[in-house]
Amino acid sequence: MSLTPPALPREFFERDALDVAPELVGCRIVRALPGGELRTLTITETEAYCGEEDTACHAHRGRTRRNAPLYMRGGVFYVYLCYGVHWLLNAVTGEEGRPQGVLIRACEGFPGPGRLTRALDIGGEFTGLAVDGCEGLRFAARERDCAVLTARRVGIGYASEADQARPWRFIASGL
DNA sequence: TTAGTGATATCC
DNA sequence: GATATCACTAAA
């Protein structure tokens, strides 16, 4: 028996982002800091980004150096720098060649995608790494079920009206 | 409400 | 090469 919760398996992420995103709410992020300290936070909010046809998705304009991990098989991290300041953490989902992912938008005690990565000292070094084969960072299952609300996604004013209106943001309710 | 921050994408 | 943009945050 291990001292720490086991990593969610890769298979968990090899499904559609719209299935994974709500299920990830209530799960935990487990971060082993370089010094050895283990920090575990419960995920309270996620968003799904679904393919090149989703104008809010980074892959909307095709594959680039930055978004390459989105095109990988589900079960890797996609971490990128936003506004030159904030690292944003995503889990890539779905099958290889279909760019989709789930943004981890907030954790208990750390509202905001940039604040949770700062709290956990997560940076670009994790992008492209397997979620179940990474020493320092993993996801762990829920301890119990939790209700999930949906809402519009945040900060995507550049996307089409239709894509902005999609209820692809998932928020924990009554954790 | 607004500045800050710098990598990335997209244009010349 | 240059410039515009950006899945945000903190300060005011």
Side-chain angles (χ1 to χ4, degrees), chain A residues 31-171:
Chain A
R31 169 76 167 121
L33 293 170
E37 185 197 341
L38 209 62
R39 206 168 282 177
T40 303
L41 295 180
T42 300
I43 298 169
T44 56
E45 198 173 321
T46 63
E47 280 177 358
Y49 289 87
C50 302
E52 294 182 344
E53 61 280 2
D54 175 9
T55 57
C57 182
H58 278 177
H60 169 231
R61 276 170 282 185
R63 187 181 183 130
T64 66
R65 184 189 164 92
R66 178 178 70 162
N67 67 28
L70 281 176
Y71 287 78
M72 298 170 80
R73 178 160 66 110
V76 299
F77 298 111
Y78 169 48
V79 186
Y80 73 95
L81 189 64
C82 183
Y83 293 99
V85 182
H86 310 288
W87 292 102
L88 269 55
L89 173 66
N90 299 250
V92 176
T93 62
E95 43 191 84
E96 182 171 0
R98 274 226 51 219
Q100 9 168 283
V102 176
L103 169 68
I104 310 303
R105 179 158 259 299
C107 283
E108 221 160 18
F110 297 95
R115 294 186 54 187
L116 77 91
T117 54
R118 197 180 58 188
L120 295 173
D121 194 26
I122 292 168
E125 68 272 19
F126 291 104
T127 205
L129 297 185
V131 294
D132 63 353
C134 184
E135 286 291 316
L137 186 60
R138 86 192 81 144
F139 295 102
R142 289 171 173 166
E143 289 174 307
R144 59 179 182 281
D145 249 353
C146 86
V148 176
L149 306 173
T150 61
R152 291 162 64 114
R153 293 176 291 179
V154 173
I156 54 166
Y158 55 88
S160 73
E161 278 294 331
D163 284 331
Q164 291 190 49
R166 297 187 201 288
W168 287 355
R169 176 176 168 211
F170 303 93
I171 306 165

